[in-house]
């Protein structure tokens, strides 16, 4: 298979195109006193940095990043396969090239054959791309596996989580599982905070099924509940004992518009 370079789809829109400006912004989003520690997984938002950069920065500042990372995101574009992985090549950002971890991607496909090689699902999808500069700023030598999820079926997501845990467990090195997700969308600030904290409560309890149920029951428009569910299932299998809400915000905190907001939660699982 030829090596593929994925070029940025949202540079200059979701985050600055200029390398130095981007690095400066990211440094400003890292809280100065954050103590980083090992983690199994995390949930980080993926909106424009102006809105969610502070939450994403706080999450990654609290993690001692390993070299190998799996990044799961929802499929916002509707393109490609429902369980889309890329296992060759690299992703470009203004901070440079982030290589795909081919051996880890191959191991995941072997353990979970429903994962389909599919660059189309990733080409215009922003939800992994916006996480990469944070990772690059902290750990320039990292390699990663991108997986976009276009399914909301609990059983499929749970089985993928179990497969991720088995694959990670079989590797010699530590691997971080990043779930890229925003929280509730386009309701007022009060409603959004109430809904989001119901979902956050389940994530802090490491309760993947509970997260699924509350998202469905309360109609919480958390775009990346699938990635979060996979990460929680895998982390629990790998021995996770705690989850911490590092930071929560809504777009209203930045824009001042409290009528129509998006929620952002940063969670670290250890």
């Amino acid at each position: 298979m030829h090596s593929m370079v994925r070029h940025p789809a949202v540079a200059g829109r979701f985050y600055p195109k200029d390398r130095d400006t981007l690095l400066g912004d990211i440094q400003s989003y890292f809280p100065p006193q954050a103590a980083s520690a090992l983690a199994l997984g995390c949930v980080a938002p993926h909106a424009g940095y102006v809105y969610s950069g502070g939450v994403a920065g706080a999450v990654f500042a609290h993690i001692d990043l390993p070299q190998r990372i799996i990044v799961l995101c929802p499929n916002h574009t509707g393109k490609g396969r429902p369980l889309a992985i890329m296992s060759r090549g690299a992703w470009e950002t203004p901070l440079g090239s982030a290589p795909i971890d081919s051996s880890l991607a191959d191991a995941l496909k072997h353990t979970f054959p429903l994962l389909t090689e599919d660059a189309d699902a990733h080409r215009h999808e922003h939800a992994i791309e916006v996480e990469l500069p944070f990772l690059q700023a902290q750990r320039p030598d990292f390699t990663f596996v991108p997986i976009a999820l276009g399914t909301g079926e609990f059983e499929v997501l749970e089985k993928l989580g179990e497969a991720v845990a088995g694959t990670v467990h079989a590797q010699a090195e530590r691997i971080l599982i990043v779930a890229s997700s925003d929280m509730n969308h386009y309701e007022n600030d009060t409603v959004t905070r109430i809904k989001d904290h119901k979902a956050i409560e389940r994530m802090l309890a490491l309760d993947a099924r509970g997260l699924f149920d509350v998202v469905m029951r309360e109609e919480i428009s958390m775009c990346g509940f699938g990635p979060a569910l996979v990460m929680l299932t895998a982390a629990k299998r790998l021995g996770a004992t705690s989850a911490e809400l590092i930071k929560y915000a809504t777009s209203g905190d930045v824009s001042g518009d409290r009528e129509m907001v998006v929620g952002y939660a940063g969670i670290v699982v250890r």
Side-chain angles (χ1 to χ4, degrees):
M1 206 184 306
H2 69 289
S3 263
M4 199 196 123
V5 173
R6 182 200 177 275
H7 298 288
V10 295
R13 291 196 295 139
F14 279 63
Y15 59 86
K17 213 176 211 149
D18 174 72
R19 184 180 188 279
D20 293 338
T21 309
L22 176 56
L23 256 181
D25 281 6
I26 287 171
Q27 295 303 338
S28 77
Y29 298 134
F30 288 143
Q33 265 77 48
S36 72
L38 305 183
L40 289 164
C42 68
V43 175
H46 54 235
Y49 284 13
V50 173
Y51 296 106
S52 66
V55 177
V59 170
F60 292 120
H62 281 84
I63 298 173
D64 180 6
L65 287 183
Q67 191 186 348
R68 308 178 82 187
I69 300 172
I70 297 168
V71 190
L72 300 135
C73 77
N75 183 325
H76 290 89
T77 65
K79 293 189 169 62
R81 308 289 299 185
L83 295 158
I85 190 169
M86 284 174 67
S87 53
R88 297 288 178 277
W91 287 33
E92 293 289 331
T93 82
L95 301 186
S97 185
I100 290 176
D101 192 322
S102 297
S103 67
L104 182 55
D106 288 343
L108 285 162
K109 285 191 296 186
H110 180 76
T111 315
F112 198 72
L114 289 177
L115 283 170
T116 311
E117 194 64 36
D118 184 4
D120 286 340
H122 289 280
R123 190 162 287 121
H124 300 291
E125 175 56 60
H126 66 276
I128 287 176
E129 177 183 325
V130 297
E131 311 293 5
L132 298 181
F134 285 98
L135 304 173
Q136 288 173 306
Q138 259 182 298
R139 178 90 206 218
D141 66 336
F142 83 95
T143 61
F144 79 111
V145 178
I147 300 173
L149 302 176
T151 176
E153 285 182 52
F154 180 79
E155 285 70 22
V156 175
L157 296 164
E158 184 180 50
K159 285 195 167 61
L160 174 57
E162 288 165 359
V164 167
T167 306
V168 167
H169 184 70
Q171 304 294 313
E173 303 83 11
R174 290 195 307 111
I175 295 168
L176 176 72
I177 306 161
V178 176
S180 177
S181 182
D182 293 342
M183 298 299 294
N184 197 57
H185 287 63
Y186 310 136
E187 292 187 90
N188 72 46
D189 198 81
T190 307
V191 169
T192 290
R193 286 172 191 271
I194 291 166
K195 284 190 173 187
D196 283 351
H197 281 89
K198 288 176 178 174
I200 288 165
E201 188 186 14
R202 297 298 18 121
M203 290 191 277
L204 297 183
L206 304 175
D207 179 6
R209 180 74 219 197
L211 173 64
F212 180 84
D213 289 343
V214 79
V215 162
M216 294 302 153
R217 186 176 65 242
E218 304 283 341
E219 296 183 342
I220 303 168
S221 53
M222 173 184 178
C223 53
F225 78 85
L229 204 159
V230 172
M231 182 277 291
L232 289 169
T233 302
K236 205 161 177 190
R237 287 264 165 147
L238 291 163
T241 55
S242 70
E244 182 186 354
L245 178 64
I246 302 292
K247 188 166 184 171
Y248 177 83
T250 73
S251 57
D253 295 334
V254 173
S255 69
D257 173 6
R258 303 275 173 193
E259 291 311 301
M260 192 88 107
V261 306
V262 179
Y264 313 114
I267 292 170
V268 176
V269 176
R270 297 194 160 96

